[in-house]
Amino acid sequence: MDKDEIHLRRLPAPHADREFCGVDFLPEDLNEALEETEMRVNKTYSCLPAEEKGIHIINIRAIEDIGYDQHESTLLNSLSKNPDADCKYGLYFRDGKRKVDYILVYQYKKSSAGRTVTRRAHYDSTARSTKQGQPLPGKGVQLETGESEPHMDYHEDDKRFRREEYEGNLVEAGLELEHDEDTKIHGIGFVKIHAPWNVLCREAEFLKLKMPTKKMYQISQTHGLLKKINSVIQKITEPIQPKVAEHKPQTVKRLSYPFSREKQHLFDLSDRDSFFDSKTRSTVVYEILKRTTCTKAKYSMGKGEGRKKEATLLNKRRKCGKYGITSLLANGVYSAAYPLHDGDYEGENVEPNDRKLLCEEWASYGVFYKYQPIDLVRKYFGEKIGLYFAWLGVYTQMLIPASIVGIIVFLYGCATVDENIPSMEMCDQRNNITMCPLCDRTCSYWKMSSACATARASHLFDNPATVFFSVFMALWAATFMEHWKRKQMRLNYRWDLTGFEEEEDHPRAEYEAKVLEKSLRKEHKHKETDKEKLTWKDRFPAYLTNFVGIIFMVGLTFAIVFGVIIYRISTAAALAISSTPSGRSSVRVTVTATAVIINLVVIIILDEVYGCIARWLTQIEVPKTDKNFEERLIFKAFLLKFVNAYTPIFYVAFFKGRFVGRPGDYVYIFHSFRMEECAPGGCLMELCIQLSIIMLGKQLIQNNLFEIGIPKMKKFIRYMKLKHQHSLDHEEHMKKKQRYEVDYNLEPFAGLTPEYMEMIIQFGFVTLFVASFPLAPLFALLNNIIEIRLDAKKFVTELRRPVAVRAKDIGIWYNILRGIGKLAVIINAFVISFTSDFIPRLVYLYMYSENGTMHGFVNHTLSSFNVSDFQAGTAPNDPMDLGYEVVICRYKDYREPPWSENKYDISKDFWAVLAARLAFVIVFQNLVMFMSEFVDWIIPDIPKDISQQIHKEKVLMVEVFMREEQGKLQMLETWKDKDKKKGENCNNHSPRLSRSHSGSLSSCHSYPLDV
């Protein structure tokens, strides 16, 4: 027998004389045993020390009210030998019958008398009197630990008082509570919450939860050729299907209807324990926790004028403010609140549970090739998280065809690189093209053939196939959005979310505090304070701060990119002085690679900084609801992270080499740094390098290493702290922890915003600049295969179980995806026309080529410069570096030659190419937009079979209610007929008999009225 455990038992008849005013007294011989051992009493059975004779008092009336003892008095007794096993190590209450649906965690300070004294000083929070100002027996009794009163922490005392009031209100709302402070985590107390059946039914009706009824119907199946094709596909894909019951195709489905207590006969209530699953139970409890408020506090906290002022201010605030669970968590009254996981996911003799099944069939890298068990994910984590993983799965599947086409485009570039005439001309040393210096004084003249490798590599990504790939990816994005909408409708039908509309959420704690502060200011000025709310005038300082802060952050990003540009220019000039020829030949590659790595490091650091700043800017706005807060946070974080990730890429794509000037008249920054130029093969190759390094670096470092490394590090730190705390009590440390203790050591769930954000930024890399990097979908696919299992493992093993949230779509993220898809068409049009040489080649081929080939294209794109026209101090220091004197050097531009009348002016070829580029942008953009809209129009948002099934459900539900109404009418008619027959029988009696039976006659007529 565990000596630390005590229980309640019926009081035998001989002790009936011990009752006094509804209070039971314990035998005095049991007092001695209780003093020797540390009491491990959950607060629903806790005792209060009395002022006289050291007796323990239990409020029997309160215990009867919550259903623990109906008629008889109770007494403390010992528990079974292994109470932890009876309650499945914290998954149930101590009685082993009531399931723990939610956990509240609080911190408390022990008094000098030890943990037992601290616990006994707390009164029973579930045995509160419902009448104001009427204390329970034993309430308010002072704890005597010595001659003088111990020093009190008024802040902690106020928190304790608010906890007790809040928990009393929870009991009044119908919940059942059980406390546990005797845990292995010192200074931490746990409140276990159970929702009984009547509370679950009431809240399910309030929340309009759709529950399965007894009525079942056949799901319409395909026939003919489609049926055969589906069966073949199922057989082929069977090895990659998860071994989960919820994932098997269903032929029948239960009709669902919003739960109603009046229509309980419609639902299958044969097994009440499993009718509401753990996800639904925790959702119900969380709704009660948000709705239940705590409006009072302990005002008499000390002596002195300062303490009186504090108490007066606190009194005013408590009268005006209501505090739900969000406010109590924000104010530190409770330190955490979470539902429990279903059990362990690893170890020997682990009972089968959904968490273990998810870990085996979903959160494992060994099943990366399998489909996700989305229905089981939704069952365990709720619709919102289920939709995220369903969207991620659809996105990853859609990347497969995009990756295949991208690989084909890349292989086409590899196969045709030796046939590309412009790159062959650039590599031909017989052309002997001498190029102008890339920088002033330190740089010398150079041969165009030295850029041969860059020119050949650029053809891998700058070829006619990339134009086709850009069109394909624009249509792919439109198809992906339509496919997701259809998948979303299928999930809504399967998860009984059709017709679901999100109701307005409870106000946030910060919003209520601001409204309270405003009402207090008005009360101080003797103004009306009814129906206060925050207006735009109240938020104007926050809006101004948001505007200035965002502008500053965007400016900071531009400044950092500008700094990297200065680094590139200065480093290129420094490397050009190198005495070795190999150093001079690799200047471009070295400068580009190091600059991109610097950009990557800055982007990763600023991403974390901007995430914190976006949250702070949203907090000072004080949005009313959690949904408003989330949407505003997403918008700000996406804006800042979008600018941070894509600004360096935009610079290389659209600005580098555009504002250089010409030899003899270059553009300078700070009168000393010359703007950098593109390579002879164009800037597309450099754009490809920039995009690939930033994309791969973000995915590898930020998305994977951070997500794996940081949680592991935090877990190791927590483990070391706990090991240090328990080093003095090794025997207790080796005991198996309760479920709520294990879950408390997990990381709290921080929302889906970071998960969505990294995927949305990746979607931008895949679509926005895909013309310059056709392999982007392939790398995104490889990353997402790992990302799905990584996120799954994190949710199942590393995080506390989140509260299930109902949702029918992915919210604002869908609009962001559509916006990126539209923007991708425009950006790719400009990349093809302005960054690549696709348009200049077409113009040369059809307007200037003498034989209809690309021979002479390189010479056509280069202009001539007379070296005698250099400005003073800008000519090369070593003009004989190539071994001969240079008179004319070439540079990439469309300008008049030095022997022309208007030398160095822009030539008419420039305007012809510019006109062709703009025309291409307009035609490409409108054509692709039209094709995308056509795809959007031709693919219906709701699959035909799903719309038919939804209509069928409505018809069946109407039939069910019509039958029910007919049954009621038939029953009423039957009762009326019986009543008429009884009346006729009574009228056939004699008047005397009639008078003697008048009472029975009246009761006869009142029967149907009672019914």
Side-chain angles (χ1 to χ4, degrees), residues 537-598:
K537 293 181 180 178
D538 301 319
R539 291 193 173 104
F540 180 75
Y543 290 153
L544 183 62
T545 306
N546 270 260
F547 178 76
V548 174
I550 290 175
I551 294 296
F552 175 75
M553 292 299 122
V554 172
L556 176 64
T557 303
F558 289 163
I560 291 173
V561 172
F562 184 75
V564 175
I565 294 171
I566 300 297
Y567 161 80
R568 294 160 68 112
I569 296 171
S570 58
T571 306
L575 291 176
I577 311 174
S578 174
S579 58
T580 60
S582 59
R584 289 196 298 269
S585 63
S586 59
V587 168
R588 280 190 187 276
V589 178
T590 305
V591 170
T592 301
T594 55
V596 172
I597 292 172
I598 293 172

Side-chain angles (χ1 to χ4, degrees), residues 426 435 438 446-448 450-451 454-455 458 588 677-683 837 857-858 861-862 892:
M426 290 179 64
M435 303 297 293
L438 295 174
W446 55 285
K447 292 284 189 179
M448 179 175 246
S450 64
T454 306
S458 65
R588 280 190 187 276
E677 305 175 38
C678 288
C683 279
D837 281 340
F857 170 73
V858 174
T861 58
L862 297 177
K892 190 173 182 179

Side-chain angles (χ1 to χ4, degrees), residues 665-895:
D665 188 20
Y666 283 114
V667 177
Y668 292 91
I669 303 173
F670 305 132
H671 303 286
S672 56
F673 296 104
R674 206 176 92 187
M675 290 294 291
E676 54 183 345
E677 305 175 38
C678 288
C683 279
L684 195 68
M685 185 59 202
E686 190 171 341
L687 175 62
C688 174
I689 295 172
Q690 184 104 5
L691 184 66
S692 59
I693 292 179
I694 290 177
M695 179 182 176
L696 296 177
K698 272 181 65 68
Q699 289 183 168
L700 182 64
I701 299 173
Q702 192 174 27
N703 298 354
N704 293 331
L705 289 183
F706 281 12
E707 288 191 15
I708 296 173
I710 292 179
K712 293 288 184 185
M713 190 181 301
K714 289 181 178 179
K715 190 175 181 180
F716 178 74
I717 292 172
R718 286 196 303 269
Y719 171 77
M720 294 303 294
K721 285 183 179 179
L722 290 174
K723 188 176 180 181
H724 177 70
Q725 289 175 0
H726 297 301
S727 58
L728 299 177
D729 193 355
H730 180 71
E731 184 179 349
E732 184 182 357
H733 178 62
M734 293 306 293
K735 291 181 182 178
K736 185 173 181 179
K737 289 184 178 180
Q738 302 288 330
R739 178 78 262 154
Y740 43 86
E741 293 180 79
V742 176
D743 286 3
Y744 177 71
N745 291 327
L746 299 176
E747 280 290 306
F749 175 63
L752 288 171
T753 300
E755 314 298 334
Y756 271 114
M757 187 67 69
E758 64 184 69
M759 289 295 106
I760 297 297
I761 296 295
Q762 184 203 82
F763 182 78
F765 283 122
V766 168
T767 55
L768 291 179
F769 297 94
V770 75
S772 63
F773 190 39
L775 295 178
L778 174 63
F779 289 114
L781 173 64
L782 297 176
N783 174 80
N784 288 4
I785 291 173
I786 301 173
E787 181 73 22
I788 289 175
R789 307 303 164 181
L790 182 64
D791 284 347
K793 199 170 186 66
K794 183 172 68 174
F795 272 83
V796 174
T797 64
E798 301 288 341
L799 297 179
R800 294 175 190 162
R801 188 174 183 177
V803 179
V805 179
R806 286 189 297 169
K808 61 187 302 183
D809 52 41
I810 59 175
I812 193 175
W813 297 110
Y814 182 80
N815 298 327
I816 293 175
L817 285 169
R818 284 188 67 89
I820 292 176
K822 303 291 185 186
L823 184 62
V825 177
I826 302 172
I827 290 179
N828 280 302
F830 277 95
V831 167
I832 293 170
S833 60
F834 284 91
T835 309
S836 74
D837 281 340
F838 178 73
I839 299 300
R841 288 173 189 168
L842 286 181
V843 171
Y844 177 78
L845 185 64
Y846 293 105
M847 291 182 63
Y848 300 104
S849 178
E850 297 177 356
N851 52 7
T853 63
M854 293 301 295
H855 288 287
F857 170 73
V858 174
N859 188 58
H860 176 75
T861 58
L862 297 177
S863 298
S864 301
F865 177 75
N866 194 328
V867 297
S868 61
D869 293 331
F870 272 121
Q871 291 180 353
T874 61
N877 295 332
D878 186 10
M880 300 294 294
D881 185 58
L882 295 178
Y884 57 88
E885 184 179 357
V886 177
V887 178
I888 298 293
C889 65
R890 310 295 295 274
Y891 61 99
K892 190 173 182 179
D893 205 349
Y894 291 99
R895 291 184 179 271

Side-chain angles (χ1 to χ4, degrees), residues 306-318:
R307 184 61 63 186
K308 287 180 181 178
K309 288 180 181 179
E310 269 187 47
T312 305
L313 177 62
L314 195 59
N315 192 357
K316 286 184 178 180
R317 294 197 176 196
R318 297 297 183 269

